Amino acid sequence: MSTFPNSPRLLKGGLVLIDADTSAVQRIIVLQYNPDTLSRTLQPQAVKESGDRAEAMRLTGPPVETIKLDAEIDATDQLEFPDQHANAVQFGIQPQLAALETILYPASAQLLANNALAAAGMLEILPTLSALTLFVWSKSRIVPVRITDFSVTEEAFDTALNPLRAKVSLGMRVLSVTDLGYDNKGGSLFMAYQQLKEQLAAKNGAGALGTLGLGGIP
């Protein structure tokens, strides 16, 4: 705890899994430590080259945005107080890793149910519908995402070979209204995300042509 009572509360980033139809929260995963860096890439969605000059400035939709970060998980502090952290003593950081990894898995109950349907002669079985994953990085960044890349480097183990420290590298693709539509909960969250960007852009001070060494556009 901070020794300064008036110090601001440190917010954490994380992932929230919700039901896309009801918006009911299914799981909240808080990153133990906020990553030092977060990289984002935006790829514009322009009209493909067709030789038509009228199409050169047209955009077909929001850019494809990807987010990458490295999250550290460490049980060292918890192991100093074993009476308060029985899970860390018994399992190390496996529960935290499992909470992240199982985002990528269909529910085992659904897999078994689909297998039973296939054994009963069902000809067409729909792929399992996953929860909608939201990446939360402050109130101004709540975006629906699909995890596209996930890697784990485990760095220390206890005597039972439970991992005690790890670095998780996450790659995520932001899902826009192009992916989800406007009526989907994720689509509405994306629109709020884009609209906030537009509001923030409006707060940026206007530049002057003179700063660029121009008296006007030739």
Side-chain angles (χ1 to χ4, degrees):
M1 179 180 296
S2 173
T3 57
F4 300 96
N6 295 324
S7 61
R9 181 169 62 94
L10 177 64
L11 297 179
K12 297 291 188 73
L15 300 167
V16 178
L17 276 62
I18 67 171
D19 185 293
D21 295 323
T22 66
S23 300
V25 175
Q26 298 179 351
R27 192 190 316 172
I28 301 172
I29 302 172
V30 179
L31 299 179
Q32 185 178 5
Y33 305 107
N34 284 335
D36 291 331
T37 61
L38 184 151
S39 63
R40 299 186 299 118
T41 302
L42 280 75
Q43 180 180 359
Q45 296 304 291
V47 174
K48 295 180 180 179
E49 287 192 32
S50 63
D52 187 346
R53 295 175 181 174
E55 303 295 321
M57 304 301 294
R58 295 189 185 277
L59 298 173
T60 60
V64 173
E65 180 176 359
T66 55
I67 300 172
K68 293 185 178 181
L69 61 85
D70 292 331
E72 294 184 3
I73 304 174
D74 193 333
T76 303
D77 292 342
Q78 297 176 23
L79 293 176
E80 291 181 2
F81 305 96
D83 294 339
Q84 302 174 26
H85 301 284
N87 281 340
V89 174
Q90 185 175 359
F91 303 109
I93 60 170
Q94 289 194 79
Q96 295 95 315
L97 291 176
L100 288 167
E101 291 177 27
T102 50
I103 297 175
L104 306 178
Y105 285 77
S108 58
Q110 188 63 55
L111 289 175
L112 293 171
N114 288 349
N115 181 61
L117 290 173
M122 181 70 69
L123 295 179
E124 184 176 359
I125 300 174
L126 293 176
T128 302
L129 183 64
S130 65
L132 178 63
T133 302
L134 307 178
F135 176 61
V136 180
W137 192 263
S138 80
K139 292 181 179 179
S140 62
R141 291 186 188 176
I142 304 174
V143 288
V145 296
R146 177 190 297 123
I147 294 178
T148 56
D149 183 71
F150 186 108
S151 63
V152 181
T153 303
E154 299 176 359
E155 298 175 340
F157 303 87
D158 64 14
T159 55
L161 293 182
N162 292 310
L164 300 179
R165 291 198 313 270
K167 179 179 292 184
V168 178
S169 296
L170 277 178
M172 296 170 283
R173 180 185 183 277
V174 175
L175 299 177
S176 71
V177 288
T178 303
D179 305 296
L180 300 172
Y182 290 87
D183 297 329
N184 182 280
K185 177 62 177 179
S188 64
L189 286 171
F190 176 84
M191 287 305 301
Y193 172 63
Q194 177 173 333
Q195 288 165 352
L196 181 57
K197 281 181 178 290
E198 293 167 350
Q199 294 168 18
L200 291 172
K203 296 180 184 297
N204 186 42
L209 288 175
T211 308
L212 303 177
L214 299 176
I217 300 299

